[in-house]
Amino acid sequence: MAGLYPPIKHTQSSSSLSQSQSYHVFNSRVLLLLTLLPLSLAALAFVLQWRGEIGDPTIRWSELDRFDFPGMDTTASSSKVTIRTSPSCVDALGQSRSVTFPYFRDWKFDYESDLKPKICITSSTSAGLEQLLPWIYYHKVIGVTNFFLFVEGHAATPHVSKVLESIPKVSLIHRTKELEEKQAKSRIWNETWLSNFFYKPCNYELFVKQSLNMEMAIVMAREAHMEWIIHLDSDELVYPSGTREYSLRQLLSNVPENVDAVVFPNYESSIERDDIQEPFSEISMFKKNFDHLMKETYFGNYKDSTRGNPNYFLTYGNGKSAARVQQHLRPNGAHRWNNYRKHPNEIKFDDAAVLHYTYTKFSDLTSRRDRCGCKPTKEEVKRCFMLEFDRAAFIIASTATEEEMLKWYRKHVVWMDKDLNKKLIRKGILTRIYAPMVIIQGLRESGVFSSLISSVQTRLSKETSLSTNEINGTSNAIDATSAVYSRKIGKKQPRKAVRNVLQAVDTDKYTDKAKDTDLMAMPPLPPPVMEKIHSYIPI
């Protein structure tokens, strides 16, 4: 019996060892399972998202906050905007795919019903589609709903008008004889505040047209139940800086109710090349307005900032404004609004601005010359242009050769001194602004412009005998971002006959903040000049 004990002890030891091994195997399998499970789920999620079957919640528009401004999808190796496409979707333009761009929800920008406040822009323009389409859609992105465009020249041609009219909430008013007769009976002609600008050529004539068109736009804005109205030129973009969503809607919704109008100080484009083709997509450097600078900084760097030009800005410096649509509202020239019954309560934005893309192309010299019939003398140009640089540019374009014009343009307009640019950027005079460039570039790459033109072309080919080559040429002009601009002037266009003019309005009194600005429409004004330094910096 005693000889049987050792085998019994051996059996118990083997059993314990077997249980221990089984326990370790079980633990290993559990750990392996816990390791493989998350890896498998991660791989599955990656595959599903790569195939486009689930959305990324970080860029999804929520129902509670449908106007958030999410970051753009970019990579370190490319500055292009990432565009997602889904083969199964059909967009509003009738194509076989749908384009997703983080700044808008669909091709129509159809958010009028839930967009507050409702904002409209009015403009008098003769520009083409290569300028107007980016201009319109950029402002749609930041919250503008309606556009009242008074068109003439190239903008009023049939193929351009058809494309513009196909955009939702864009209204075109052509300058016809009937329109001029209607405006001749308007209230403005019976008032004195604009009378000093009547019967004068060039810029004065444009200034009067803009004011008359703004008067009509107010009526149209009230009928469309707009809450804010802004007058802009087609070479200007609203820059809603200071808002979390990069939204003009948010900017104006935060304005106190007792405020009738807000002023956007203007920043002026500072081009770094003489071959700019698409200003909105190629320019990122701007000169800040006097109102957004310390007075000591402005006057302390005045000489470097002007570079021998007549003023700190090439053109105007008194900004543009937006007004609440209300009873008795009237324009006060192209830069301000007023009211027939009260003095409007007006404030000025500390961050937001209007970006003015002026003299961005070499051809801007000759285009101003060709549409004005003044003689190129110092006395004559005062009757045509309100600002000194416009006068100097007109004389150069009318008297110099092409080579001389280009040399003058590079000296006075193009910022080619990189050291000076860096210095003024450090001082805060110059600044880099990329948002409009990125938005418009993304819109172009998403196919908004080309698809719009293509859809109109298809429709018109069935309805009319409009030349297909004409529309294709316009479409190619929009997409040709790398084309080299030809500076051959060729034959000069016939100039308009010079009207009988009165004494030109003296705008110098406005620069001293005269108290009688309500008695006369505010013209485009230059920023403060160096001679006025004692008015701003006490000694």
Side-chain angles (χ1 to χ4, degrees):
M1 295 292 294
L4 297 176
Y5 292 131
I8 293 176
K9 290 181 180 181
H10 176 74
T11 302
Q12 290 178 348
S13 176
S14 299
S15 177
S16 299
L17 182 60
S18 177
Q19 291 178 356
S20 177
Q21 292 177 345
S22 299
Y23 177 76
H24 287 299
V25 170
F26 176 76
N27 286 345
S28 299
R29 291 177 178 177
V30 170
L31 290 175
L32 180 62
L33 179 62
L34 293 176
T35 301
L36 294 177
L37 182 60
L39 291 176
S40 301
L41 292 176
L44 178 62
F46 173 79
V47 172
L48 291 177
Q49 188 168 354
W50 176 70
R51 293 180 59 189
E53 297 182 11
I54 63 174
D56 185 352
T58 62
I59 62 169
R60 184 181 302 163
W61 294 94
S62 66
E63 293 297 321
L64 296 178
D65 191 4
R66 303 180 70 181
F67 298 99
D68 280 346
F69 186 85
M72 296 189 63
D73 293 332
T74 58
T75 62
S77 60
S78 174
S79 61
K80 294 184 178 181
V81 181
T82 301
I83 308 296
R84 291 196 187 88
T85 60
S86 176
S88 61
C89 298
V90 178
D91 58 41
L93 294 175
Q95 294 189 348
S96 61
R97 62 187 181 90
S98 175
V99 180
T100 300
F101 183 69
Y103 295 105
F104 54 85
R105 295 195 301 276
D106 55 35
W107 287 91
K108 291 183 178 181
F109 296 85
D110 189 14
Y111 44 60
E112 181 187 7
S113 60
D114 56 0
L115 180 62
K116 292 290 183 178
K118 294 183 178 180
I119 307 166
C120 67
I121 287 179
T122 180
S123 181
S124 303
T125 181
S126 59
L129 291 179
E130 68 280 356
Q131 181 173 336
L132 289 176
L133 290 185
W135 181 80
I136 290 173
Y137 276 91
Y138 168 83
H139 287 107
K140 278 180 171 287
V141 165
I142 65 174
V144 177
T145 55
N146 289 51
F147 296 81
F148 305 118
L149 305 183
F150 293 81
V151 296
E152 53 185 307
H154 192 50
T157 56
H159 68 283
V160 174
S161 297
K162 291 295 184 181
V163 174
L164 296 177
E165 290 170 346
S166 67
I167 305 174
K169 305 301 179 182
V170 172
S171 301
L172 264 58
I173 305 93
H174 293 260
R175 177 151 290 278
T176 61
K177 183 178 180 180
E178 290 75 17
L179 175 65
E180 292 181 348
E181 291 176 351
K182 183 177 181 180
Q183 289 184 337
K185 300 176 182 178
S186 67
R187 181 170 182 174
I188 284 182
W189 285 97
N190 297 319
E191 299 287 338
T192 60
W193 55 270
L194 192 62
S195 59
N196 285 343
F197 297 87
F198 292 163
Y199 308 114
K200 298 178 175 67
C202 300
N203 277 15
Y204 290 93
E205 180 181 6
L206 174 62
F207 188 78
V208 173
K209 281 183 181 180
Q210 289 174 328
S211 299
L212 293 170
N213 293 341
M214 291 166 69
E215 183 183 43
M216 292 188 64
I218 292 172
V219 177
M220 300 172 70
R222 292 185 61 184
E223 292 176 350
H225 307 290
M226 295 291 106
E227 298 171 66
W228 288 90
I229 184 170
I230 306 173
H231 175 260
L232 286 181
D233 295 328
S234 54
D235 62 351
E236 298 171 329
L237 299 178
V238 175
Y239 176 56
S241 178
T243 59
R244 179 178 63 88
E245 303 173 355
Y246 195 81
S247 167
L248 179 61
R249 172 195 59 84
Q250 184 187 45
L251 188 69
L252 295 180
S253 65
N254 293 334
V255 174
E257 294 183 0
N258 66 327
V259 173
D260 300 305
V262 292
V263 176
F264 295 85
N266 62 295
Y267 289 10
E268 191 174 78
S269 60
S270 301
I271 63 172
E272 301 169 81
R273 309 193 324 267
D274 61 4
D275 59 349
I276 298 293
Q277 294 300 305
E278 295 180 347
F280 296 151
S281 299
E282 299 180 50
I283 297 174
S284 64
M285 192 168 73
F286 295 86
K287 188 186 291 186
K288 286 187 177 181
N289 193 283
F290 168 80
D291 290 317
H292 285 180
L293 294 170
M294 297 291 292
K295 298 177 181 63
E296 294 80 2
T297 301
Y298 176 84
F299 288 111
N301 297 275
Y302 190 85
K303 183 177 181 180
D304 287 337
S305 302
T306 56
R307 301 185 307 149
N309 289 323
N311 203 278
Y312 174 79
F313 276 162
L314 300 182
T315 54
Y316 76 90
N318 51 330
K320 290 294 181 72
S321 67
R324 291 189 190 273
V325 179
Q326 54 184 301
Q327 290 284 347
H328 311 297
L329 178 67
R330 73 164 174 85
N332 192 35
H335 295 261
R336 292 292 188 274
W337 303 88
N338 211 319
N339 195 292
Y340 282 113
R341 295 293 181 87
K342 66 176 182 179
H343 184 74
N345 181 19
E346 183 181 89
I347 64 172
K348 188 172 294 185
F349 284 124
D350 294 328
D351 298 306
V354 163
L355 306 180
H356 186 201
Y357 296 76
T358 184
Y359 286 99
T360 54
K361 298 180 180 180
F362 178 71
S363 59
D364 289 343
L365 289 179
T366 55
S367 64
R368 283 170 168 79
R369 177 202 65 192
D370 293 340
R371 66 172 179 257
C372 185
C374 287
K375 295 180 180 179
T377 64
K378 291 184 178 180
E379 292 300 323
E380 288 290 323
V381 294
K382 289 183 179 179
R383 301 187 302 176
C384 298
F385 301 98
M386 303 180 194
L387 299 172
E388 285 293 334
F389 188 85
D390 288 332
R391 298 167 183 172
F394 179 82
I395 292 176
I396 288 294
S398 302
T399 60
T401 64
E402 182 180 357
E403 183 178 352
E404 291 171 338
M405 279 193 294
L406 180 58
K407 183 178 179 180
W408 185 91
Y409 183 75
R410 288 173 174 171
K411 178 181 178 181
H412 293 273
V413 181
V414 184
W415 290 72
M416 306 180 71
D417 188 340
K418 294 184 179 180
D419 292 333
L420 177 61
N421 297 350
K422 292 178 180 178
K423 174 185 175 181
L424 294 182
I425 288 176
R426 288 195 299 267
K427 295 288 185 178
I429 300 291
L430 297 177
T431 185
R432 294 285 183 182
I433 298 175
Y434 295 101
M437 175 191 296
V438 172
I439 291 175
I440 291 175
Q441 183 180 357
L443 287 167
R444 179 176 287 106
E445 291 177 356
S446 69
V448 174
F449 308 144
S450 58
S451 296
L452 177 66
I453 294 175
S454 177
S455 64
V456 174
Q457 176 184 353
T458 302
R459 177 168 55 85
L460 290 179
S461 64
K462 298 178 181 179
E463 299 175 357
T464 68
S465 59
L466 186 63
S467 172
T468 302
N469 293 332
E470 191 174 19
I471 289 188
N472 284 336
T474 305
S475 177
N476 293 335
I478 293 177
D479 294 326
T481 59
S482 59
V484 178
Y485 175 71
S486 173
R487 297 191 180 89
K488 294 183 179 180
I489 298 176
K491 296 182 180 180
K492 297 182 179 179
Q493 297 295 327
R495 299 178 180 178
K496 299 179 181 178
V498 182
R499 295 185 180 183
N500 294 326
V501 297
L502 304 177
Q503 180 64 32
V505 177
D506 183 9
T507 60
D508 291 340
K509 63 181 180 179
Y510 290 97
T511 61
D512 293 326
K513 303 181 179 179
K515 296 181 180 180
D516 61 346
T517 52
D518 288 340
L519 302 179
M520 189 185 300
M522 178 183 289
L525 300 175
V529 296
M530 193 66 181
E531 287 73 12
K532 307 293 183 181
I533 184 173
H534 301 299
S535 302
Y536 295 92
I537 303 179
I539 299 178

